[in-house]
């Protein structure tokens, strides 16, 4: 089953395909494909061409229309492309038909993200979570992957009487899923013991869209050396550090970045990573304000948070990368897909501060702009939580004084 992990194959030129529908306008699809190109790059593939098609809804047989598929096919043959990536999730039937027609490797956004996850997973926990997510993704697509095996009845010893190969394969995968889930329960137990052992310290979790600068900020706040890279999902596992501001220690965790269009059942596979979010006392939502679609990224993060944790937690919004914010003036004849084209940074600050009051702050983690102000804000919030929880106990402060 390991051949499902396809990282090694992704060193090739890729073509991207997006559909413009009444739900996804042209500007949005262009932004999605830019992000898909970034994802492809992270996986090791170079996006050399983007194809778009306007349709009322995806073609149930081939996703795009037959004419468009022929156009893609000609391009693929002419330019010796080995990989075509679709921005939306393909049904097993669409996948099968497209593969048959194009005769090259076909991926969709989900399988590409899972491939990146697979190549980034370092610890047993991350590896188990990714493998579980991959099998969950694979299960409904078995007909595509395994029909050729259906004819080879009798070949594999584990098969039950009267079962087709497909049923056997499904059963094998369901068994694997069950085993991975059990493994994760064990890992969860260990992790929750670890979390309990962290004592009474207030827990703060950095959350945010992928590549917004969470690890960079973690480094700045904790002076640690967490891996920060301009690639998506540099952080798959949660890193926890003790941070001390003034005299007040608290625990800060860096979590996996969120991304749009990731199916919820796959998000669930990352349960033990996301437990860090569930069990946090305070969320620090990091935003890349220099990104053209940062508002949409905020929505994706808030939506994902609501899915994984029903309780409303206190949250601070940290608008990062102010150094990279570019102002696009009103009168410029501009083709940009930028939503905020007529807004400068001050106006943006005013808008968000009106909305969130002192629950937001504008920083540059890279250039250390306003980091001290962020520390002061964190100090206030962590102190409040600590005092509410232990009104008669200044244990934490004492503990640190004694160290
Ligand atoms: N210009 C600018 N770049 C920044 C800033 N903070 C981080 N970056 C860059 O943004 C990229 C992503 O940073 P990370 O810290 O890895 O982001 P992350 O949110 O942890 O990423 P994931 O692990 O994908 O979730 C890196 O190239 C950083 O150098 C900033 O304040 N300004």
């Amino acid at each position: 089953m390991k051949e499902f992990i396809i990282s090694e194959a992704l060193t090739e030129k890729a073509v991207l395909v997006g559909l413009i529908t009444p739900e996804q306008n042209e500007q949005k699809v262009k932004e999605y494909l830019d992000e898909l190109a970034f994802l492809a790059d992270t996986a090791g593939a170079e996006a050399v061409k983007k194809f778009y098609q306007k349709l009322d809804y995806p073609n149930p047989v081939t996703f795009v229309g037959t004419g468009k598929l022929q156009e893609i096919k000609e391009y693929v043959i002419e330019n010796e492309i080995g990989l075509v990536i679709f921005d939306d999730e393909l049904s097993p039937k669409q996948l099968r038909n497209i593969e048959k027609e194009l005769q090259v490797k076909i991926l969709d956004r989900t399988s590409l993200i899972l491939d990146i996850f697979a190549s980034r997973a370092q610890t047993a926990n991350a590896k188990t979570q990714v493998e579980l997510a991959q099998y969950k993704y694979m299960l409904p697509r078995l007909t595509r992957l395994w029909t050729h095996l259906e004819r080879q009845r009798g070949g594999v010893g584990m098969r039950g009487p009267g079962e087709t190969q497909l049923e056997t394969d499904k059963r094998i995968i369901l068994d694997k899923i069950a085993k991975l889930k059990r493994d994760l329960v064990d890992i969860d137990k260990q992790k929750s013991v670890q979390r309990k052992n962290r004592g009474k310290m207030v827990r703060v979790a950095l959350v945010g869209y992928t590549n917004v600068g969470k690890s960079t900020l973690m480094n700045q706040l904790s002076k640690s050396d967490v891996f920060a890279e301009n690639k998506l999902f540099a952080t798959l596992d949660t890193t926890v550090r003790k941070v001390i501001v003034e005299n007040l220690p608290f625990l800060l965790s860096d979590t996996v970045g969120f991304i749009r269009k990731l199916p919820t059942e796959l998000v669930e596979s990352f349960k033990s990573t996301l437990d860090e979010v569930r069990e946090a006392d305070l969320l620090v939502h990091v935003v890349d304000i220099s990104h053209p679609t940062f508002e949409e990224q905020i929505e994706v993060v808030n939506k994902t948070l609501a899915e994984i944790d029903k309780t409303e937690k206190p949250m601070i919004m940290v608008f990062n990368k102010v150094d990279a914010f570019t102002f696009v003036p009103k009168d410029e004849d501009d083709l940009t897909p930028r939503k905020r084209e007529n807004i400068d940074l001050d106006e943006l600050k005013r808008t968000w501060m009106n909305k969130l009051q002192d629950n937001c702050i504008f920083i540059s983690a890279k250039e250390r702009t306003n980091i001290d102000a962020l520390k002061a804000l964190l100090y206030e919030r962590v102190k409040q939580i600590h005092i509410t929880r232990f009104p008669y106990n200044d244990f934490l402060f004492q503990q640190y004084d004694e160290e």
Side-chain angles (χ1 to χ4, degrees):
M1 310 280 185
K2 278 290 174 209
E3 66 266 33
F4 190 68
I5 296 171
I6 37 166
S7 326
E8 314 83 57
L10 290 183
T11 47
E12 50 213 311
K13 289 190 283 182
V15 158
L16 311 184
V17 185
L19 215 54
I20 300 159
T21 59
E23 286 85 50
Q24 298 189 149
N25 67 30
E26 194 170 336
Q27 181 182 307
K28 281 231 172 320
V29 176
K30 287 199 167 137
E31 288 161 9
Y32 292 164
L33 287 207
D34 282 349
E35 185 174 76
L36 196 65
F38 197 8
L39 282 165
D41 176 62
T42 300
E46 185 197 358
V48 290
K49 172 92 179 158
K50 293 171 185 161
F51 283 94
Y52 300 93
Q53 188 174 33
K54 222 177 203 162
L55 286 179
D56 282 343
Y57 49 86
N59 182 318
V61 183
T62 47
F63 188 72
V64 289
T66 23
K68 185 56 82 180
L69 198 62
Q70 280 314 308
E71 200 187 314
I72 298 171
K73 186 176 180 176
E74 278 161 29
Y75 186 90
V76 162
I77 294 172
E78 214 166 282
N79 297 280
E80 297 181 357
I81 306 290
L83 176 63
V84 179
I85 310 173
F86 289 75
D87 189 47
D88 297 278
E89 196 161 311
L90 298 170
S91 73
K93 185 177 171 186
Q94 290 166 333
L95 201 52
R96 193 169 55 235
N97 291 326
I98 296 168
E99 234 171 21
K100 211 162 123 196
E101 191 56 34
L102 300 185
Q103 298 282 321
V104 292
K105 195 176 285 289
I106 308 296
L107 292 179
D108 58 18
R109 177 180 267 259
T110 308
S111 52
L112 180 62
I113 292 172
L114 286 177
D115 184 68
I116 297 171
F117 279 12
S119 67
R120 301 245 152 191
Q122 298 283 340
T123 60
N125 181 28
K127 283 182 185 154
T128 314
Q129 294 184 104
V130 173
E131 216 177 320
L132 176 60
Q134 284 184 312
Y135 281 126
K136 279 187 180 170
Y137 174 83
M138 197 190 218
L139 198 57
R141 289 168 181 78
L142 274 182
T143 42
R144 173 185 76 104
L145 292 165
W146 299 85
T147 34
H148 65 288
L149 289 177
E150 264 190 286
R151 269 173 263 121
Q152 303 169 8
R153 282 156 153 257
V156 184
M158 291 168 71
R159 189 173 328 163
E163 273 186 329
T164 65
Q165 180 66 47
L166 185 63
E167 281 163 353
T168 314
D169 294 334
K170 272 194 179 155
R171 191 163 48 76
I172 292 170
I173 292 193
L174 284 171
D175 286 350
K176 280 189 181 281
I177 289 179
K179 165 145 190 352
L180 288 165
K181 281 188 175 166
R182 281 196 304 275
D183 290 350
L184 276 181
V185 169
D186 290 343
I187 294 172
D188 277 353
K189 273 186 201 146
Q190 286 168 18
K191 288 223 154 203
S192 76
V193 170
Q194 277 170 13
R195 280 194 292 268
K196 278 202 187 90
N197 288 345
R198 287 189 214 138
K200 293 176 174 173
M201 272 191 252
V202 171
R203 293 192 212 149
V204 180
L206 293 172
V207 293
Y209 206 78
T210 178
N211 214 48
V212 293
K214 296 180 295 297
S215 303
T216 312
L217 182 59
M218 176 101 172
N219 289 343
Q220 294 291 8
L221 291 172
S222 67
K223 290 272 177 287
S224 62
D225 207 8
V226 177
F227 188 51
E229 201 189 350
N230 194 21
K231 299 261 170 183
L232 301 174
F233 307 110
T235 316
L236 251 198
D237 255 307
T238 315
T239 321
V240 185
R241 295 261 186 283
K242 183 172 164 185
V243 176
I244 298 152
V245 178
E246 308 269 321
N247 241 359
L248 178 62
F250 59 91
L251 292 172
L252 184 66
S253 61
D254 185 7
T255 58
V256 60
F258 298 162
I259 194 157
R260 67 168 72 90
K261 291 190 186 173
L262 193 62
T264 321
E265 68 269 25
L266 297 189
V267 173
E268 253 315 294
S269 303
F270 296 90
K271 185 184 166 303
S272 55
T273 300
L274 296 169
D275 273 347
E276 212 62 57
V277 175
R278 287 195 185 97
E279 295 183 14
D281 302 294
L282 173 68
L283 299 179
V284 174
H285 182 165
V286 186
V287 177
D288 173 0
I289 202 167
S290 74
H291 199 280
T293 63
F294 79 89
E295 285 107 332
E296 201 184 334
Q297 296 187 347
I298 293 175
E299 279 170 31
V300 171
V301 172
N302 284 338
K303 212 172 132 241
T304 315
L305 283 174
E307 276 168 16
I308 58 173
D309 185 7
K310 306 290 171 221
T311 60
E312 285 255 322
K313 283 198 187 343
M315 187 195 277
I316 298 174
M317 298 278 282
V318 174
F319 293 95
N320 188 30
K321 305 199 191 180
V322 286
D323 62 291
F325 181 90
T326 45
F327 169 53
V328 185
K330 267 192 181 81
D331 52 344
E332 193 154 294
D333 197 14
D334 182 17
L335 22 115
T336 54
R338 299 171 110 79
K339 273 186 179 173
R340 55 178 163 70
E341 56 218 46
N342 298 326
I343 296 176
D344 67 12
L345 188 56
D346 287 337
E347 200 175 332
L348 208 63
K349 280 183 183 170
R350 274 196 301 277
T351 311
W352 282 96
M353 284 168 120
N354 274 339
K355 207 163 149 183
L356 301 169
Q357 267 104 52
D358 54 357
N359 283 320
C360 69
I361 192 158
F362 292 77
I363 67 157
S364 163
K366 198 170 165 187
E367 303 198 338
R368 288 199 60 84
T369 314
N370 241 3
I371 296 293
D372 286 341
L374 172 60
K375 281 186 172 174
L377 182 59
L378 282 172
Y379 178 84
E380 281 309 317
R381 292 303 144 85
V382 171
K383 199 168 111 188
Q384 263 171 22
I385 294 168
H386 182 72
I387 291 170
T388 319
R389 196 180 301 159
F390 311 111
Y392 307 107
N393 181 344
D394 58 355
F395 159 82
L396 285 180
F397 300 88
Q398 280 169 12
Q399 185 194 40
Y400 183 60
D401 286 341
E402 284 158 13
E403 269 178 16

